[in-house]
């Protein structure tokens, strides 16, 4: 997985490339937590995400909970296969998409 | 007529033997991706197999061998006649039937949801059949995916 961060004042855009799986999800979680201080708008760009497993969904849930308290989190550019997983698990109703 | 079955090998072995550690999923992922390429599986099917494998392997790594190390074996076969792909996970960890874990409550608000059972819930949705048996002190989980009607898939 490759993670690219782009911060403009209180807005952080995180572009994720590859799979958000059992091995890479903890890395993503660590990177988010290390960079979201002072961030009120978090954008996760899923354009290059291959797939997401429950370990990744767990990170989305934790990130949403954190961001909900201080601002907002939006997931962008979700492909059909990833969307299918969000819908199958009901996460599509819990997260914000753009 | 008997079905024609192809068994995928890993460096000459009939199964991929992995340490039951989360990090070892990378090896499993690479192997399965190679198989998906060989069988020219649709992208959507490849991703479903990888997610299912992630969930099952992660369960074994997390709960299979509490306090000690162990291994997990993965066998992949493809029944050419029936266009049926089978992934079999075998471990000698504590007896555990993941099919008995309660499904997640998807109706609860995010903050009240417990995440347990989500992985296996996904596996059941992603695969066509999931079966468990305990044999010779080993957990055997068999996942099947039909590849018929390929043209209807993405």
């Amino acid at each position: 997985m490759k993670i690219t961060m782009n911060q403009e004042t209180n807005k952080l855009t995180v572009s994720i490339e590859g799979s958000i799986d059992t091995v890479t999800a903890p890395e993503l979680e660590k990177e988010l937590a290390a960079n979201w201080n002072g961030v009120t708008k978090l954008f996760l760009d899923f354009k290059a995400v291959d797939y997401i497993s429950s370990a990744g969904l767990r990170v989305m849930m934790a990130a949403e909970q954190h961001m909900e308290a201080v601002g907002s989190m939006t997931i962008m550019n979700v492909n059909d296969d990833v969307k299918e997983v969000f819908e199958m698990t009901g996460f599509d109703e819990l997260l914000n998409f753009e | 007529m008997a079905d024609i079955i192809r068994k995928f090998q890993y460096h000459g072995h009939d199964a991929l033997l992995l340490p039951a550690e989360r990090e070892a999923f990378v090896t499993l992922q690479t192997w399965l991706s190679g198989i998906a390429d060989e069988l020219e599986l649709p992208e959507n099917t490849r991703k479903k197999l990888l997610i299912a494998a992630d969930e099952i392997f992660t369960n074994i790594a997390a709960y299979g061998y509490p306090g000690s190390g162990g291994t997990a074996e993965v066998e992949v076969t493809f029944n050419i006649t029936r266009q049926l792909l089978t992934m079999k996970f075998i471990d000698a960890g504590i007896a555990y039937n993941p099919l008995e874990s309660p499904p997640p409550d998807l109706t609860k608000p995010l903050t009240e949801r417990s995440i347990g059972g989500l992985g296996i819930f996904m596996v059941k949705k992603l695969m066509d059949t999931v079966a468990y048996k305990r044999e010779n002190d080993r957990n055997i989980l068999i996942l099947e995916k039909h590849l018929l009607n390929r043209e209807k898939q993405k």
Side-chain angles (χ1 to χ4, degrees):
Chain A
M1 182 175 58
K2 193 174 147 197
I3 303 168
T4 311
M5 305 257 178
N6 190 348
Q7 186 158 6
E8 295 166 44
T9 61
N10 60 346
K11 177 185 161 186
L12 176 66
T13 304
V14 181
S15 305
I16 305 158
E17 203 180 319
S19 55
I20 311 177
D21 57 47
T22 188
V23 176
T24 59
E27 294 169 21
L28 176 63
E29 186 167 35
K30 222 167 88 185
E31 283 300 312
L32 289 176
N35 288 281
W36 67 24
N37 266 348
V39 172
T40 55
K41 282 183 179 149
L42 176 64
F43 289 89
L44 301 178
D45 191 342
F46 266 51
K47 191 170 181 222
V49 170
D50 187 30
Y51 67 86
I52 184 165
S53 70
S54 72
L57 293 176
R58 210 168 274 134
V59 173
M60 293 302 119
M61 184 156 126
E64 169 63 24
Q65 282 175 356
H66 170 86
M67 289 310 300
E68 206 180 16
V70 297
S72 64
M73 179 176 105
T74 307
I75 302 176
M76 304 150 63
N77 303 319
V78 175
N79 69 43
D80 286 349
D81 296 336
V82 172
K83 196 174 165 195
E84 191 182 344
V85 171
F86 280 131
E87 286 174 352
M88 169 196 304
T89 53
F91 274 65
D92 60 321
E93 308 213 340
L94 305 167
L95 303 168
N96 305 305
F97 297 91
E98 187 181 286
Chain B
M1 202 175 74
D3 287 358
I4 302 166
I5 294 169
R6 175 172 177 195
K7 197 163 208 167
F8 284 92
Q9 295 222 323
Y10 186 82
H11 293 289
H13 298 276
D14 279 346
L16 168 60
L17 185 67
L18 294 167
E21 294 159 9
R22 197 178 264 259
E23 292 70 25
F25 175 69
V26 175
T27 307
L28 177 57
Q29 188 178 38
T30 306
W31 186 51
L32 292 175
S33 297
I35 292 171
D37 286 348
E38 257 187 85
L39 292 175
E40 297 180 342
L41 298 186
E43 275 290 278
N44 183 269
T45 308
R46 175 185 66 82
K47 291 174 188 182
K48 285 179 176 170
L49 291 177
L50 287 172
I51 296 172
D54 177 317
E55 303 303 341
I56 301 303
F57 184 71
T58 302
N59 257 346
I60 297 170
Y63 310 114
Y65 301 93
S68 67
T71 56
E73 275 177 59
V74 189
E75 286 177 21
V76 177
T77 52
F78 183 57
N79 184 320
I80 296 165
T81 315
R82 297 169 58 207
Q83 292 288 298
L84 180 69
L85 190 91
T86 305
M87 283 197 290
K88 195 193 263 190
F89 289 80
I90 305 159
D91 70 84
I94 53 169
Y96 173 64
N97 179 357
L99 301 179
E100 287 172 354
S101 68
D105 187 347
L106 301 176
T107 61
K108 277 191 179 172
L110 198 54
T111 47
E112 292 168 28
R113 275 164 74 164
S114 91
I115 204 89
L118 180 62
I120 195 68
F121 170 82
M122 289 167 70
V123 173
K124 286 182 193 167
K125 289 265 188 185
L126 296 167
M127 305 299 289
D128 294 325
T129 57
V130 186
Y132 170 84
K133 58 184 175 182
R134 178 86 178 163
E135 261 178 25
N136 303 323
D137 294 328
R138 305 199 305 172
N139 298 304
I140 302 171
L141 198 71
I142 300 164
L143 316 182
E144 291 182 332
K145 186 82 185 160
H146 284 278
L147 304 177
L148 285 174
N149 302 320
R150 282 189 179 210
E151 69 281 2
K152 287 183 188 167
Q153 298 181 23
K154 265 176 283 178

